[in-house]
Amino acid sequence: MRSLIWVEAKRAARSPLLWLGVALVTPFVWLNLNGYWPIVPRAVEHAYGGIAVLAGFATLTGAWVGLRDIRAGAESLIASTPAAQKATLVPARMLALALGAFVTGLAAFGAAIAVAKLRGALGSPSLDLILDASFFVAGAACAGFAIAYFTRSRAVCLLVGPLLAALDVIVVNRLASSYRSAMWLVPNPRTPQRFPTIGYLPDIFVRHTLYVLALTAILFGAVWLKDSIRTQAHRATAICVLLVTLGSGTALASGTWLAHQPVSYAVFGTRPDQWLPMDGRTSTYKKMGQFQRKFGVFADDGSASECASEGSFEVCVFPEFGERFARDMADVMTILEPFADFPDFPHKLRMVPEISFADCVGVGGLTSGDSEYLLSSQNVTDVREEWEFTPEGVFRCSLYGRRMLSTPAKDAVNAWYGSTFGAYPSMRGGYYTKNRLQRRTTNLMLALEPDEVITRLRPIWADLQKGNFYLPGLERVMSR
């Protein structure tokens, strides 16, 4: 039986259908990396999201293998062989098929990592995620074989791959949008959110892999059971019953655990007690404020170790983003150099796993007394033009403070900055607001040279931050 499995596995691994699936997953990863800073974990996540394509081809391959004897007209001849009479031919083919599909699943992730490396990506892939998806591809191949074995229909086998792949995508998207824990019960769920230095939350992959393997074992046992009953192989029948029973128990246990996992987490630190499970209810969002007041901001534990400085500003990011990202972001921050000597102006940008609160919470909020602006690691773009929003955020946080307290005077200054230095300068010829005095003050600032406005703002900045400098005074400062 071992030699039979090896021969069939090599044959399955050479299947053009499986490698066509790998070939389609690779450009899917390449296209989805566009717009994001390339890191290896993100490329692996995109491959995980597109693995349903490969699973569809694996299902089609399995169905075609299941119909091989019928297509060749050799069903009676094969049934007379000793392997078939001992009920070892069918399980050997299924095991070999699963092995070949598993290898192509690993190859798809290898191609995804190679694509990311070609774009200069850093970081390490998650082995748990790769194994989970590869076992899913193997299970899809076994599902195709089982469908062919039970239906014996060429029409069904031709349609089963595309239909199951489409159904998988529809179900996954529908469950993800429903914000329910049942989303983790599909064989190929959406990727949980990943936080650098923490990992995936919820960390479903070990239990989900057991769940996928259990479902595959049920399919395997059901097909083998029918074959062993046909050949009256009593020992094989007992093994099949045991396999189906164990698979059902494991699927039930792991499925129950998965169904009780939260959809996502709001993260306020690196310890488990600083992770707030999110289930979409209003009461959960109210707890976010409590967690923020209790834990504050991410303490600087040194994990954002790739740093670069430019002028008065320093940017520190996680190693998987690399020094190049830190250097480029520091270069973008030089637009704020004229404001660097303003009181309490942030001079350091530090990356944290996530910001589950207002982005100004880190400004002036550290026990060290240093003002920092926190950068979220989520959805970091590689579009240089969009980075201009970061200096805009730093300026806004310094002006409005951690609690984002707004005054007409602050709003006038913020409107001037947005029109002069912002990522999308608007209304340079004038600024509109219902507050006539605020509109007149902003337009006065726009009429001056930026350096002159900065010079006039410098002595009043501290009072502006505290909300103690009012709009009439700001108008007088800008009109003198």
Side-chain angles (χ1 to χ4, degrees), residues 101-120:
F102 180 81
V103 169
T104 54
L106 295 179
F109 283 99
I113 294 171
V115 164
K117 290 291 186 180
L118 286 174
R119 297 190 57 181

Side-chain angles (χ1 to χ4, degrees), residues 139-150:
C142 290
F145 188 97
I147 290 171
Y149 189 80
F150 286 114

Side-chain angles (χ1 to χ4, degrees), residues 147-171:
I147 290 171
Y149 189 80
F150 286 114
T151 65
R152 303 169 63 84
S153 169
R154 297 190 183 189
V156 171
C157 293
L158 284 172
L159 294 174
V160 67
L163 287 177
L164 287 182
L167 181 64
D168 177 75
V169 172
I170 293 171
V171 171

Side-chain angles (χ1 to χ4, degrees), residues 386-397:
E386 295 185 11
W387 292 9
E388 302 295 338
F389 287 109
T390 301
E392 208 167 326
V394 173
F395 181 87
R396 186 180 66 251
C397 288

Side-chain angles (χ1 to χ4, degrees), residues 184-187 206-219 242-260:
W184 306 127
L185 293 176
V186 295
V206 173
R207 294 280 187 19
H208 190 266
T209 301
L210 285 175
Y211 178 70
V212 171
L213 287 173
L215 294 179
T216 305
I218 294 171
L219 279 174
L242 179 62
L243 189 61
V244 171
T245 304
L246 289 176
S248 301
T250 304
L252 179 62
S254 54
T256 302
W257 184 89
L258 290 169
H260 286 83

Side-chain angles (χ1 to χ4, degrees), residues 8 21 84 109 129 169 225 258 294 345 383 447 451 471 474:
E8 291 283 354
F109 283 99
L129 186 149
V169 172
L225 180 62
L258 290 169
K294 181 178 180 180
F345 201 87
V383 181
D451 291 342
L471 195 56
L474 180 62

